[in-house]
Amino acid sequence: MKTYLTLLFRWLIVGCLLLSGQAVAQQSDNEYGTYTNPVIWSDFPDNDVIRVGDMYYMVATTMYYFPGVPLLQSRDLVNWEYVANTVPRLDVHPAYNLQGGARYGHGQWASSLRYHHGRFYVLFMTLDEGGFLCTAEKAEGPWTLQRLPKAYYDAGLFFDDDGRRYIVHGYSKLSVTAVDEQLAPLGPDSVIVAKGQRPGLEGSHVYKINGFYYLFATYGGPDGYQVALRSKSIYGPYEEKIVLRDDMNLTGMGVHQGALVETQTGEWWSIIFQDRGGVGRVPTLQPVTWVDGWPLLGENGRAVVTHKKPDVGRSWPVRPLPTSDEFNQPTLGLQWAWNHNPDPAGWSLTQRPGFLRLTSTQRADSLKVARNTLTQRMFGPYSVATVALQVGGMQDGDVSGLAVFQNPYAYVAVTREWGRYQLVMMQQGRRLDSVRLDGPHTVYLQARANTTTDMATFAYSLDNRQFRALGAALSMKFSLKMFTGNRFALFHHSTRQPGGYVDIDWFRMTTRQGPPNRFAANSRIEAEFYDERHGADTGWSQDVPGEKNQDITQISNGGWLAFHQVDFGKGGRQMQVRVAALQPGATIEVYQGGLDSAPIGRLAVSSTGGWKQYQTLTTPLPKLTGKQKIFLKFIGGEGELLRLNWLSFADSPR
């Protein structure tokens, strides 16, 4: 058992890590009055958001992970923190315990969040068990869960001015149902949208603004887009308008499905997600402008990347979400969730204080059917997870490790057979590599996830200093069979007899730290990480075959990109760009601070012979120091001028 002094020392170390920013998630706040999307670069989809007084609340989907249905709060719509997981567990079918089946791709579905007469409401459904309602007087709980007599698909709960309650729901065909205080239907569903622009209209949220009823809904899918429908009556007829159709800075991935909210100062905003591949579906924050009674998102029809923060009456400090855990508290942090309902007999934070103990309670042949797998979301643009594992309590047939969990999944783990220990790297149940251990050491396991390339790698160490790669890289996917983003997962299960255990000393995750639009000038800056764009788009790069990478494409005459905080440090005198071009004649002009001054550099772009051939161009610059706002402007003839993969700066020629 650890002594008090040991625990105190570890607590001080944790405090230092937190203060240094090494134990928290990435931030979207740029610390000078702007933010950069995504507002949380992690899997928080199907967003609904409300304001209660001066506090904003957001709910998201977690499906088969419990505790689930997280509620977050914010003072400024940019910096969010956990408040509660509104559903600790869902005991409505054995499959939620991984018994006789599973609920992968099912479970809790998109929620509707409302606050009415001093009470919070979270309405959701499951595809198999129907409708559910969570209520609480305080955001932190306690929350009460009740099963409803009817399921409402992608529900939008609405309390009208006259005291009546309605739910708008449906897929492709939308209906409205008048309900009582228990959300039981008072009559049959009334179809209000029989046929939309295309199949897949869903995710409805309902508002009443200036005498109009608005349905804020999406045409879903990776290429999804957002629409508003309005009527003078809740029962219609409704007219419809596209309010955002843009893929921001990830080609082919539309920004869609979210909610509207008004600030204390009268501004309107939308929290609305974007599919981001392996990391999942990430919330973005978009300004809303009312034009002719329609809520138009973004600016000039495009989703914003970097933008001025909402006016909420005052400024608030940066508050990144927690990630790391030393397991020194008697309860798990709100960032953790189990894969399906946990077995309480199989985990403990008190059997050995300062450690998380995982004990196998039933036999499992694979990770997907193993209970008590503890997970945490990864964050973009990269996350590195490391776990300290003490394996002396393992039995023959036990498997304990760290996974990147989706479909496919992969992990690095310790196994024990015939009293001997091995390190293994597995992918979808297939062993790709192994290393023998000479005893039950404390083992350090590591997974590195790059969410822009969707690649994850695995390593191990015996001293937490020198890590050795093990196995092959995992190509992370967002499979609809799972329907959640990839997560880091801590697990222990037995392929033979239950009863063995492992003690996890700590879990530490590091991600990008500091303002998201600050770039070291001498590093490679991927062009799609722009802050602003005009006259350009994104597309998949042909620079390195087989590599998931983007270019800035569709660059037209007069188009430009802005990078707000390029940090030149003590000096930079040269710029490099990586481009492809079909025709000669284009010029890239480099500006400092804005486009209304003279350019500080020019690069003439010759033909590379095709969009699959690239060249690296260099231009001298006047010496730049500190953090600068850099613009690239593109000048030339007709059509697409060039494609830009990356840019970089240096103090002297390379």
Side-chain angles (χ1 to χ4, degrees), residues 59-117:
V59 71
T61 293
T62 48
M63 304 190 81
Y64 46 88
Y65 286 113
F66 296 101
V69 197
L71 187 68
L72 294 88
Q73 69 180 19
S74 173
R75 291 286 189 180
D76 59 7
L77 289 169
V78 172
N79 295 283
W80 293 89
E81 58 186 330
Y82 295 106
V83 180
N85 288 302
T86 61
V87 182
R89 56 190 296 126
L90 204 53
D91 289 310
V92 293
H93 192 279
Y96 286 97
N97 298 329
L98 289 174
Q99 295 172 343
R103 283 294 181 257
Y104 293 117
H106 289 228
Q108 174 259 339
W109 217 254
S111 299
S112 178
L113 172 64
R114 288 294 178 264
Y115 182 80
H116 182 67
H117 289 173

Side-chain angles (χ1 to χ4, degrees), residues 164-324:
R164 297 179 183 178
R165 297 171 170 84
Y166 301 94
I167 298 174
V168 173
H169 54 101
Y171 177 82
S172 293
K173 180 176 69 175
L174 300 184
S175 298
V176 62
T177 305
V179 297
D180 64 16
E181 293 184 358
Q182 300 302 316
L183 304 193
L186 293 173
D189 300 341
S190 297
V191 176
I192 54 176
V193 180
K195 185 178 181 181
Q197 300 174 14
R198 72 178 197 189
L201 182 62
E202 59 182 342
S204 300
H205 297 298
V206 189
Y207 307 90
K208 191 175 184 180
I209 304 167
N210 295 330
F212 278 98
Y213 293 89
Y214 288 88
L215 310 182
F216 198 58
T218 182
Y219 288 93
D223 63 344
Y225 58 95
Q226 194 71 10
V227 297
L229 302 94
R230 72 181 184 186
S231 173
K232 285 290 187 177
S233 168
I234 189 73
Y235 291 101
Y238 283 87
E239 53 182 331
E240 181 178 359
K241 186 177 182 64
I242 297 173
V243 296
L244 181 64
R245 191 169 194 169
D246 188 47
D247 57 11
M248 207 164 71
N249 52 4
L250 183 58
T251 185
M253 297 295 187
V255 179
H256 69 104
Q257 191 159 346
L260 297 170
V261 67
E262 185 181 16
T263 70
Q264 308 92 307
T265 61
E267 293 182 349
W268 283 86
W269 293 80
S270 178
I271 294 281
I272 186 168
F273 78 69
Q274 182 181 34
D275 291 86
R276 284 290 182 101
V279 74
R281 297 169 291 169
V282 304
T284 81
L285 176 62
Q286 300 296 331
V288 175
T289 304
W290 289 88
V291 179
D292 297 327
W294 294 102
L296 305 184
L297 275 63
E299 288 187 333
N300 301 316
R302 309 296 293 265
V304 302
V305 178
T306 294
H307 194 271
K308 183 180 178 181
K309 291 172 64 175
D311 181 1
V312 294
R314 56 159 290 186
S315 61
W316 293 92
V318 176
R319 296 187 68 90
L321 293 170
T323 55
S324 300

Side-chain angles (χ1 to χ4, degrees), residues 253-399:
M253 297 295 187
V255 179
H256 69 104
Q257 191 159 346
L260 297 170
V261 67
E262 185 181 16
T263 70
Q264 308 92 307
T265 61
E267 293 182 349
W268 283 86
W269 293 80
S270 178
I271 294 281
I272 186 168
F273 78 69
Q274 182 181 34
D275 291 86
R276 284 290 182 101
V279 74
R281 297 169 291 169
V282 304
T284 81
L285 176 62
Q286 300 296 331
V288 175
T289 304
W290 289 88
V291 179
D292 297 327
W294 294 102
L296 305 184
L297 275 63
E299 288 187 333
N300 301 316
R302 309 296 293 265
V304 302
V305 178
T306 294
H307 194 271
K308 183 180 178 181
K309 291 172 64 175
D311 181 1
V312 294
R314 56 159 290 186
S315 61
W316 293 92
V318 176
R319 296 187 68 90
L321 293 170
T323 55
S324 300
D325 203 329
E326 301 294 307
F327 301 119
N328 287 331
Q329 301 299 318
T331 58
L332 288 169
L334 292 175
Q335 72 268 28
W336 291 106
W338 302 94
N339 175 26
H340 291 66
N341 290 331
D343 180 354
W347 71 278
S348 174
L349 289 165
T350 58
Q351 288 181 358
R352 187 182 178 191
F355 291 82
L356 169 64
R357 175 165 291 184
L358 297 179
T359 303
S360 62
T361 59
Q362 61 188 44
R363 183 178 172 276
D365 292 328
S366 71
L367 181 59
K368 287 188 69 173
V369 298
R371 297 194 69 182
N372 290 2
T373 296
L374 185 61
T375 75
Q376 192 174 147
R377 299 168 185 84
M378 59 179 59
F379 289 81
Y382 66 86
S383 292
V384 181
T386 309
V387 58
L389 196 66
Q390 295 191 6
V391 299
M394 293 178 66
Q395 299 179 161
D396 284 354
D398 285 1
V399 186

